[in-house]
Amino acid sequence: MMKAIGIKGGKGPAEALFFDEIPIPVLKPEDALVKVKAFGLNRMDIMQRNGEYKVPPQAPETLGVEFSGTVIRIASDSTDFKIGDEVFGLAYGGAYAEYIAVSTKMLIHKPEDMSWEKAAGIPETWITANQAMYLIGEFAPGKSILWHAGASSVAIAGTQLSLAEGASKVFSTVGSDEKVKFCVDELGVTAAFNYKKQDWAQEILKATDGKGVDVIIDLVGASHFQGNITAAAKDARIVHLGQVSGTILPEKVDIGPMLWKRIRFEGSTLRSRDVEYQRKLRDLVVEHAMPKFRDGTFKVIIDKVFSWKDITAAHKMMESNITQGKLICLVD
């Protein structure tokens, strides 16, 4: 048996989280059993806790999709990983626990000088950013890009990727002046806009001499839909990843420009994808991001580290929408 964080009644507020005793997971072929050192929090955890997230059938009930830790068992022979390896990775669920079973196709070797906390903050955010930019957004050097929710962990990862991979301009939208300063001063974006005070779509048109942006990554949803169409360049790609502002569009939304601008709008999820698709994304992170983590170019920006004993406080902080970076829990 092992300790894991459960939800009283199966769903509820942050106060419903509690320490449970559940069986150590059984390994499937190509799985590894990892003793968890740290895990990252994601908005999907809150949605799942509230009963608002469609969990894939292969996922365990326990929350958490990203983690770092040490391999203590391998189900079958592996040429890439062995017992004792320090790793981090992405799972369908189960990271809020002492042990997690995960496909070796979704593990990455942790650099020796990288902390457990930083390693646990990479998988979901950096894999999602790579997926949005490359596989869906068709980003290439010289293109401009806009990241909504610019102080979120996914956008922080994506901004760093965009700048390093040769974006002509990188923009972000955020909900406070403090976050504008963070995106400009800390991340180095071309410009950031406070959507509560500015018509960010018009500002982006001004900043691009009326052309608009080539790739838009939207983690916000309905409230930004019209602005996305306005700010998009011809042949732009709009990648829809989140909908914290809701799913119902405001009245009088004008979709006309989608036609004459030839805009492609595509929604995507990551957790519901099969392991082979996720493995391709892991390989993108290994190729595009890991060398730059090793040389210090890329940074994992952590807002706060909690003990997993304080998981309720961690969830409440994420719900507050005041974070600038990852929230990490140590399994201590």
Side-chain angles (χ1 to χ4, degrees), residues 250-271:
E251 291 185 13
K252 299 182 179 180
V253 165
D254 181 8
I255 64 172
M258 293 188 73
L259 182 66
W260 59 264
K261 287 186 179 182
R262 302 185 297 269
I263 295 170
R264 190 179 77 188
F265 178 95
E266 184 172 344
S268 185
T269 59
L270 175 60
R271 194 175 180 186

Side-chain angles (χ1 to χ4, degrees), residues 39-40 42 45 48 62-66 91-96 100 271:
F39 58 82
N42 292 282
D45 301 344
Q48 183 176 339
T62 304
L63 297 170
V65 297
E66 60 181 351
Y92 287 109
Y96 286 26
I100 187 170
R271 194 175 180 186

Side-chain angles (χ1 to χ4, degrees), residues 4-204:
I5 293 173
I7 309 168
K8 294 176 183 176
K11 66 177 182 178
E15 289 81 4
L17 298 171
F18 76 107
F19 275 111
D20 199 1
E21 290 274 340
I22 64 173
I24 292 175
V26 176
L27 300 187
K28 301 188 295 292
E30 297 187 330
D31 275 1
L33 186 67
V34 176
K35 182 174 176 57
V36 179
K37 296 287 189 178
F39 58 82
L41 272 64
N42 292 282
R43 192 159 294 276
M44 76 176 79
D45 301 344
I46 294 172
M47 295 174 66
Q48 183 176 339
R49 192 202 71 211
N50 288 333
E52 300 168 347
Y53 190 94
K54 188 175 181 180
V55 180
Q58 64 269 50
E61 290 184 4
T62 304
L63 297 170
V65 297
E66 60 181 351
F67 62 91
S68 61
T70 304
V71 175
I72 63 168
R73 192 180 304 158
I74 299 267
S76 58
D77 292 340
S78 171
T79 58
D80 296 323
F81 297 94
K82 64 183 184 301
I83 292 172
D85 281 353
E86 295 182 349
V87 297
F88 59 98
L90 186 69
Y92 287 109
Y96 286 26
E98 290 184 290
Y99 301 94
I100 187 170
V102 61
S103 170
T104 55
K105 296 177 180 179
M106 291 311 299
L107 290 177
I108 299 173
H109 289 282
K110 182 182 80 66
E112 288 185 8
D113 59 350
M114 180 179 284
S115 70
W116 296 112
E117 296 94 325
K118 288 184 177 180
I122 292 175
E124 171 67 17
T125 51
W126 286 82
I127 287 176
T128 298
N130 271 277
Q131 177 198 33
M133 280 180 61
Y134 294 105
L135 295 192
I136 306 172
E138 298 181 349
F139 174 83
K143 288 189 175 184
S144 56
I145 190 167
L146 163 63
W147 291 88
H148 289 306
S152 69
S153 53
V154 170
I156 289 171
T159 296
Q160 293 182 73
L161 277 169
S162 302
L163 292 168
E165 297 290 310
S168 59
K169 294 179 185 292
V170 181
F171 301 103
S172 59
T173 67
V174 289
S176 71
D177 292 340
E178 291 78 12
K179 290 182 178 181
V180 167
K181 181 175 175 59
F182 169 76
C183 290
V184 173
D185 295 347
E186 298 295 325
L187 300 182
V189 298
T190 306
F193 308 103
N194 183 344
Y195 66 83
K196 295 179 180 179
K197 293 182 175 181
Q198 297 170 281
D199 185 338
W200 56 266
Q202 291 300 322
E203 292 297 326
I204 285 173

